[in-house]
Amino acid sequence: MSQHAVEANFDGLVGPTHNYAGLSWGNVASKSNVHAVSNPREAALQGLAKMKRLADRGYVQGVLPPHERPHIPTLRSLGFTGSDAEVLGKAAREAPAVLAAVSSASAMWTANAATVSPSADTSDHRVHFTPANLSAKFHRSIEHPVTGRMLKAIFTDEGYFAHHPALPSVSHFGDEGAANHTRLCAGYGDAGVELFVYGQAAFNDQAPAPRTYPARQTLEASQAIARLHGLKDAHCVFAQQNPDAIDAGVFHNDVIAVGNGNTLFYHEMAFLEEDRVLADIRSRLTGTDLQPVRVSSADVPIGDAVASYLFNSQLLNAPDGMLLAVPGECREVASVSRYLDALVAEDGPITAVEVFDVKQSMRNGGGPACLRLRVVLTDDELQALNRGVILTDDLYERLTTWVKAHYRDQLSQEDLGDPMLLDEVRKALDELTGILGVGSIYDFQL
């Protein structure tokens, strides 16, 4: 039976160690801004402003706290000993690249936090969560234990929510979470089609694969998550990402496609077998017809799509159609800006475009869609979660004050070994868990 449901967006709050270390091979923006001086305070305030704008429009908007960074337990596991300050000092002198990795604020991109299947799709009619192992990148592979704790602290009621551990952290089961997963449906409360997009089949050496940049998501990982979530074949489509797109800098599917409701907005280079993918979705989608919005290379070259992050936008239901929430860079790339003007002039499902300033995130390779994890919730499920993380006017003011009190306005690579930074981060996060009411989720609190 269909129930009323909403799509809630849980945005990652940018962490106090937001910096430009250029850690992500295959992410063009990340590598091009390496060693630039960052502004963590501005980054966090930009993210909060985006959340507030959407909350003011009536969207259900949640907040996911940042992770503790630098992560001392990881450094200790790698052989650095002594007090926390001594561990930091040794890492800064002997392995600055490792220190940069364990100081990354990359957990702010919560599209990579987990894959989420709503109760309308799952066999036990609970919402299922699987934290992504993010095994392709060391700095992200250390995130999933805290991500799992965080999700359990927010979605606590086992009558409504089911939590799985991350998949084995090996390349054969590389999983990048919701960045390679989208859901198409007639209504959020209806059974839908979950589109899993993968970069390569790990156990098939003959299958197509990118040659320049790595494929971070495997078919085998996507299939495992579908099994864990109790999804029937009628609710799943597995689509291979075009290897040429990966080699052009499209490291996740959400850099070249985004879906919402019955609409799939995508570039013609998104999928290896475009016609087959669309046919599979159409054959499984019930209660509505698929509305594909295909962008040609003639209109937007793949390089411009990557530079602007056109497809790393949020596609949201609006009273008169759908709203595309794009990063400001989309208006700075001529082909993309022209395309957007033409898009809203058409009689299509996307009826409005709004620009959001997330420049600090964009310089590290993450647009509006990277910053949010979508969770479809029925009315009962929405009431069952920890309401302390839902953005209200009061919470927005408290978080803005918190950021201004605890975040630096500039951070360089040399600052990461400063013991005072670690103390600042821990004090800030300890206060934040109280504000959000999520309890003790960080290693230093345990």
Side-chain angles (χ1 to χ4, degrees):
M1 292 287 293
S2 175
Q3 298 186 58
H4 178 262
V6 297
E7 182 182 80
N9 287 281
F10 289 82
D11 280 38
L13 189 54
V14 180
T17 61
H18 163 66
N19 70 92
Y20 301 128
L23 299 172
S24 190
W25 176 244
N27 180 331
V28 176
S30 172
K31 300 301 287 188
S32 63
N33 287 291
V34 64
H35 300 317
V37 174
S38 67
N39 187 333
R41 184 185 302 164
E42 182 181 50
L45 293 175
Q46 285 176 352
L48 280 168
K50 177 177 90 75
M51 297 183 221
K52 181 65 162 58
R53 241 173 103 181
L54 292 176
D56 286 347
R57 295 280 295 266
Y59 298 105
V60 178
Q61 179 66 61
V63 180
L64 295 181
H67 289 208
E68 176 194 357
R69 296 292 183 268
H71 195 238
I72 299 299
T74 296
L75 291 176
R76 291 190 182 280
S77 74
L78 297 175
F80 296 101
T81 59
S83 66
D84 288 350
E86 289 170 337
V87 166
L88 276 179
K90 290 176 182 178
R93 291 190 304 273
E94 300 171 20
V98 173
L99 177 59
V102 303
S103 302
S104 173
S106 55
M108 68 188 190
W109 296 308
T110 55
N112 300 118
T115 302
V116 185
S117 294
S119 55
D121 297 349
T122 62
S123 59
D124 64 1
H125 303 296
R126 293 188 294 169
V127 183
H128 283 245
F129 300 84
T130 298
N133 61 31
L134 299 170
S135 62
K137 303 294 174 186
F138 167 64
H139 69 288
R140 303 220 61 182
S141 70
I142 63 176
E143 293 176 12
H144 66 83
V146 172
T147 298
R149 275 183 233 149
M150 187 185 303
L151 293 173
K152 288 178 181 178
I154 295 170
F155 303 96
T156 56
D157 192 327
E158 294 182 359
Y160 293 104
F161 309 116
H163 296 272
H164 305 279
L167 298 179
S169 291
V170 294
S171 61
H172 287 74
F173 292 97
D175 173 31
E176 299 282 310
N180 288 319
H181 171 266
T182 195
R183 181 175 185 262
L184 301 156
C185 57
Y188 291 134
D190 298 318
V193 176
E194 301 199 18
L195 175 62
F196 292 87
V197 183
Y198 63 94
Q200 67 177 10
F203 287 92
N204 183 355
D205 293 338
Q206 305 304 312
R211 291 173 291 181
T212 302
Y213 292 136
R216 303 187 186 185
Q217 183 85 26
T218 67
L219 169 62
E220 292 81 359
S222 297
Q223 291 171 331
I225 291 170
R227 287 191 293 269
L228 287 168
H229 291 194
L231 303 180
K232 297 178 181 178
D233 289 344
H235 293 308
C236 298
V237 171
F238 299 96
Q240 182 164 4
Q241 193 174 352
N242 189 330
D244 291 339
I246 296 175
D247 285 338
V250 180
F251 53 100
H252 291 138
N253 181 64
D254 69 358
V255 181
I256 201 167
V258 60
N260 176 59
N262 66 349
T263 299
L264 182 63
F265 179 52
Y266 70 100
H267 193 274
E268 68 174 354
M269 285 186 65
F271 306 111
L272 184 62
E273 298 176 289
E274 177 186 353
D275 291 343
R276 195 271 299 169
V277 171
L278 296 180
D280 284 353
I281 295 171
R282 287 189 174 102
S283 69
R284 289 164 171 78
L285 190 61
T286 58
T288 187
D289 293 324
L290 178 66
Q291 296 290 316
V293 180
R294 182 181 191 265
V295 182
S296 70
S297 296
D299 287 333
V300 178
I302 186 71
D304 287 356
V306 173
S308 65
Y309 267 39
L310 167 62
F311 297 95
N312 199 245
S313 302
Q314 290 180 249
L315 188 57
L316 303 158
N317 283 352
D320 59 349
M322 290 190 189
L323 165 68
L324 191 66
V326 304
E329 286 74 2
C330 284
R331 287 303 186 185
E332 298 171 5
V333 178
S335 67
V336 174
S337 187
R338 285 194 303 271
Y339 175 80
L340 290 174
D341 290 339
L343 177 67
V344 295
E346 297 174 356
D347 185 24
I350 300 174
T351 53
V353 172
E354 288 191 20
V355 173
F356 288 74
D357 180 9
V358 289
K359 192 171 291 293
Q360 284 283 324
S361 175
M362 283 288 290
R363 287 174 181 163
N364 243 347
C370 278
L371 288 163
R372 62 93 176 95
L373 179 68
R374 297 188 284 185
V375 184
V376 170
L377 299 164
T378 66
D379 295 340
D380 289 341
E381 292 159 355
L382 183 59
Q383 292 304 313
L385 63 80
N386 180 345
R387 301 289 297 180
V389 300
I390 299 300
L391 194 71
T392 60
D393 290 344
D394 177 65
L395 180 58
Y396 173 75
E397 293 299 330
R398 293 184 71 187
L399 291 176
T400 299
T401 301
W402 173 82
V403 167
K404 291 178 179 178
H406 293 290
Y407 280 51
R408 299 185 181 189
D409 60 6
Q410 61 180 16
L411 194 70
S412 68
Q413 299 299 295
E414 291 71 26
D415 296 325
L416 300 178
D418 179 4
M420 290 183 62
L421 176 64
L422 178 64
D423 291 341
E424 292 167 16
V425 169
R426 287 178 171 175
K427 180 180 178 181
L429 295 183
D430 206 34
E431 184 178 322
L432 180 63
T433 54
I435 293 172
L436 299 178
V438 294
S440 298
I441 59 174
Y442 299 113
D443 291 306
F444 76 89
Q445 294 176 315
L446 301 175

